[in-house]
Amino acid sequence: VSALGHYLEEEGIATVAISLIRPQTEKTKPPRALWVPFELGRPFGAPSDPAFQRRVLLTALQMLERPVGPVVIDDFPEDDPRAISDPTWRPPYTPAVTATGQSLAAQLENEILLLRGSHELWVSKNSRTTVGLSGLSIEQCTQYVADWLRGKAPPSPFEHFSAPLMLRFAVDDVKAFCLEAACTTFGKPSSQQLGDWLWNKTATGAAIQALRVALLESEDERLKLIVSNFIVPAPRVPAA
Amino acid sequence: VTRLTDLPPAMAQRLAELDCPDFTTRPWVTGPALPQRRVAVVSTAGLVVRGELPFRGRDPDYRVIPGSAVAGDLLTSHISINHDRTGFQEDRNVVFPLDRLNELAADGIIGAVAGTHYSFMGATDPVQMEPYAREVAGRLKSDAVDAVILSPV
């Protein structure tokens, strides 16, 4: 965002950027930036904590009244209270992943079906979902991912998305569905807890990992690029 | 996913050492006190309004987010999956603080909230984004915006 700040400011609009990666901000030298000590993906810190978010936002906006600059980079002094694990949180029930019996594709389909009630609870509790990028229903998404896992290489149902891109969006939707469903039980899990559950305990996580391994053997370079980098987060890719 | 310092060392180093534009100018725009400012959010989270075309890869253009967008309207199509999304899933204000801005305006701490906000794909080369950023500046000025909060992921 620092570069955008530079362009907008050149056009006559005052800007203040939130910075998550201080070394990048120091190199780009935007007019004003507030570095925050939060995890990537959370520029305003704690979810469902309006008072905390307001402090971050106001601290940044007040930098617009600073009389001398550029370049002004300040540090926000508070940590995100929601970055801490909540020991009271329990994930919803999902069957243990098995290497024998049902295929991973079938285990994925069963798990998504099983989590449906929890996800409905999430939607009614929050009046929103972030599932929907692919434009498919969650059942269709799951089917699309499972078909790839079964070696079918299904075509994209939409002209404006290639099949590899469709796979990426379908995987994004399946992950979002599971992670939302996991937040309907008691407690406020950290992102680390949710990630540990998704990638270590669920058939969905195991299926996406298996898909990555299988499709890395593809001759389609675009598909290889997508499964290599954009379906399993780098810290969750098993060491070679 | 955690803070930069908690990431796998190779990834943290790659992010910290990412090529950044070396600008030759240092623009600095001043303005009135906050209670007289009209503020917009410009995000690089790859946000889209549900039903619109997501960012495909590193598209350099932008998406328009009306100030009337409700929380359920917003999706993220950022290409990177190496940042947390669960915060945004729970509360859009973690990435797109529109509710907080509206509260600041209601309290008279800022003057007003823009009618329209904008989102880019943060992983895109800034040089490719430049003409679109300048186009957004024109749109912001036509909405009388004189302050922008830039929100990355």
Side-chain angles (χ1 to χ4, degrees):
Chain A
V1 296
S2 295
L4 285 179
H6 181 90
Y7 299 137
L8 294 181
E9 201 103 2
E10 274 195 339
E11 295 292 329
I13 298 175
T15 64
V16 57
I18 300 292
S19 163
L20 287 161
I21 304 176
R22 209 178 196 289
Q24 280 185 14
T25 307
E26 288 164 0
K27 276 195 278 188
T28 313
K29 300 184 178 66
R32 304 163 200 81
L34 176 68
W35 176 75
V36 292
F38 313 146
E39 64 186 301
L40 305 182
R42 295 190 175 190
F44 292 91
S48 306
D49 190 340
F52 188 91
Q53 295 162 4
R54 183 183 171 113
R55 286 199 294 281
V56 180
L57 180 59
L58 198 51
T59 304
L61 290 174
Q62 283 167 340
M63 293 176 72
L64 291 164
E65 296 184 317
R66 203 67 67 79
V68 179
V71 174
V72 184
I73 304 176
D74 285 353
D75 294 340
F76 189 73
E78 297 178 61
D79 285 323
D80 170 3
R82 286 286 302 277
I84 299 165
S85 291
D86 179 352
T88 68
W89 174 71
R90 294 288 177 274
Y93 169 74
T94 49
V97 182
T98 63
T100 56
Q102 274 193 321
S103 69
L104 258 183
Q107 291 179 67
L108 163 71
E109 289 165 336
N110 289 344
E111 187 171 86
I112 296 297
L113 199 61
L114 194 65
L115 290 173
R116 201 179 168 90
S118 293
H119 195 263
E120 283 170 1
L121 194 59
W122 163 273
V123 174
S124 85
K125 191 174 134 193
N126 295 280
S127 304
R128 71 180 294 228
T129 175
T130 59
V131 176
L133 205 55
S134 67
L136 300 176
S137 70
I138 193 62
E139 292 81 8
Q140 290 170 321
C141 272
T142 309
Q143 181 75 55
Y144 195 74
V145 175
D147 281 352
W148 275 102
L149 201 49
R150 292 184 170 109
K152 290 185 183 172
S156 168
F158 301 121
E159 252 180 44
H160 48 277
F161 296 152
S162 65
L165 191 61
M166 192 67 218
L167 177 63
R168 194 195 115 203
F169 289 155
V171 167
D172 270 357
D173 275 346
V174 167
K175 286 189 288 191
F177 179 89
C178 289
L179 291 167
E180 289 176 357
C183 291
T184 49
T185 51
F186 186 77
K188 292 181 174 178
S190 66
S191 67
Q192 182 74 31
Q193 284 176 292
L194 288 166
D196 287 348
W197 170 73
L198 180 72
W199 295 108
N200 301 339
K201 301 288 184 192
T202 69
T204 303
I208 296 169
Q209 291 277 17
L211 193 61
R212 180 179 183 277
V213 171
L215 295 182
L216 278 176
E217 302 300 318
S218 166
E219 289 177 2
D220 179 336
E221 291 301 322
R222 188 158 184 216
L223 182 62
K224 271 168 72 170
L225 180 74
I226 281 184
V227 298
S228 172
N229 299 312
F230 304 120
I231 64 171
V232 179
R236 301 287 177 181
V237 173
Chain B
V1 184
T2 56
R3 291 192 280 184
L4 186 66
T5 48
D6 302 324
L7 290 172
M11 186 181 160
Q13 188 178 355
R14 188 171 55 78
L15 285 173
E17 293 177 354
L18 205 64
D19 272 346
C20 297
D22 187 14
F23 297 118
T24 53
T25 62
R26 293 276 169 255
W28 176 258
V29 177
T30 55
L34 280 182
Q36 279 78 53
R37 299 262 192 166
R38 185 170 170 87
V39 184
V41 181
V42 175
S43 165
T44 53
L47 299 177
V48 294
V49 173
R50 186 183 298 276
E52 292 192 338
L53 192 65
F55 286 91
R56 294 168 298 181
R58 292 181 170 86
D59 286 346
D61 59 345
Y62 60 89
R63 301 290 183 274
V64 172
I65 303 173
S68 58
V70 296
D73 290 342
L74 282 188
L75 303 173
T76 174
S77 60
H78 201 291
I79 190 171
S80 171
I81 52 168
N82 292 322
H83 60 262
D84 173 60
R85 293 186 179 197
T86 62
F88 174 74
Q89 284 164 7
E90 180 177 326
D91 179 359
R92 69 168 174 174
N93 292 286
V94 167
V95 169
F96 185 73
L98 187 56
D99 298 320
R100 299 296 84 79
L101 273 183
N102 284 329
E103 289 160 8
L104 291 178
D107 292 345
I109 295 170
I110 60 170
V113 180
T116 306
H117 309 268
Y118 299 90
S119 179
F120 287 82
M121 165 63 69
T124 305
D125 178 359
V127 174
Q128 290 183 39
M129 290 158 75
E130 180 178 348
Y132 297 101
R134 295 194 189 279
E135 188 177 301
V136 163
R139 297 179 73 149
L140 288 166
K141 282 191 271 192
S142 69
D143 189 17
V145 168
D146 57 3
V148 164
I149 178 92
L150 293 156
S151 176
V153 286

